[in-house]
Amino acid sequence: MKKPTANAVAAIACAAGVMFMTGAAFAAVPLYQLFCQVTGFDGTVRRADTAPDRVLDETVLIRFDTNVRGLPMIFRAEQVTQRVRIGETGLAYFDVTNTSDRPIQATAAYNVVPERAGPYFQKLQCFCFEGQTIQPGETMKFPVQYFVAPEMATDRESRGVKEITLSYTFYPTQGFDQAANAAQTTGAAG
C-alpha cells in the first residue's frame, strides 16, 4: 500500500477545514441567538416560566416596534405603548395580516432597547417562541405576556431605565423563494 503524499494530506486537511468552517457558519447564528436568549445579552429578551411575586411602585413605559423583512404582510401593535409597574405582568396584542394569495411561514425575532434592560424584560407567552403559518388574506391576533423583573430597579447599570422598546421583526422561515416572490409582487421590504 502506498503512503499518502504531503499534497494529498494537505488537500484532505483543507477539505476537512472547509467542511468544519461551513458547519460552524451555519451553527453560529442559532447558537448566538440561544446564548442571547438565555443570558439577555445584546438586548435579547428572556423567557420566563413564572411571574415575579413582587410588584414595585416604580413604572416603566414599554414601546412596541414592529417590522417585516421580505414578506407580504402587515404587522402592527394594537397599542404603541403601555405603562406597567416593575414586576407587574403586562399583556400586549399584535395583529398580522397576510396580504398575499399564498400561505406565509414566518418567525418573529425580537430584542429590547436599551440593551441593559434585556436581562430584566422577560416573556411568559409570545408568538415569537415558535414559527407561524398565516393563510392568504388571514389576519391573526397574537398576545405577548411579559414583565420587567424587580431586580432591574436595584441593578447599578439598569436602575433608572424609564422606557423600554420591545422590537419585533417578522422574517420568512421556509424557503427564500417566498421572500423573493413577496418583494417582487408587492414591492414591500419592511
Side-chain angles (χ1 to χ4, degrees), residues 151-173:
E151 294 79 16
M152 186 177 89
T154 57
D155 183 305
R156 186 178 351 172
E157 300 232 354
S158 61
R159 72 174 168 230
V161 169
K162 300 296 181 198
E163 280 188 22
I164 297 174
T165 300
L166 174 61
S167 181
Y168 288 103
T169 301
F170 258 113
Y171 62 93
T173 54

Side-chain angles (χ1 to χ4, degrees), residues 23-162:
F26 280 103
V29 172
L31 290 174
Y32 179 73
Q33 185 176 20
L34 178 64
F35 169 77
C36 291
Q37 288 174 359
V38 168
T39 64
F41 180 75
D42 199 24
T44 303
V45 177
R46 297 174 73 177
R47 186 174 187 168
D49 294 322
T50 59
D53 56 2
R54 182 170 52 124
V55 177
L56 307 179
D57 290 332
E58 187 178 343
T59 63
V60 177
L61 181 69
I62 308 298
R63 295 186 181 280
F64 302 106
D65 175 52
T66 57
N67 304 282
V68 176
R69 294 291 175 247
L71 291 169
M73 64 169 32
I74 298 168
F75 177 37
R76 67 175 191 82
E78 288 189 357
Q79 287 182 271
V80 178
T81 63
Q82 289 181 349
R83 183 163 296 279
V84 295
R85 293 183 355 195
I86 294 178
E88 174 184 29
T89 300
L91 183 62
Y93 288 95
F94 295 81
D95 297 326
V96 177
T97 302
N98 178 347
T99 59
S100 77
D101 60 355
R102 295 183 182 172
I104 293 176
Q105 292 181 339
T107 300
Y110 54 88
N111 69 339
V112 298
V113 176
E115 291 179 10
R116 65 183 189 256
Y120 303 106
F121 193 98
Q122 298 181 23
K123 296 182 199 173
L124 296 163
Q125 175 188 2
C126 184
F127 59 93
C128 58
F129 294 154
E130 55 192 39
Q132 304 295 329
T133 300
I134 305 137
Q135 297 302 320
E138 181 180 25
T139 297
M140 297 180 77
K141 184 183 299 269
F142 294 120
V144 174
Q145 191 175 20
Y146 67 92
F147 63 87
V148 177
E151 294 79 16
M152 186 177 89
T154 57
D155 183 305
R156 186 178 351 172
E157 300 232 354
S158 61
R159 72 174 168 230
V161 169
K162 300 296 181 198

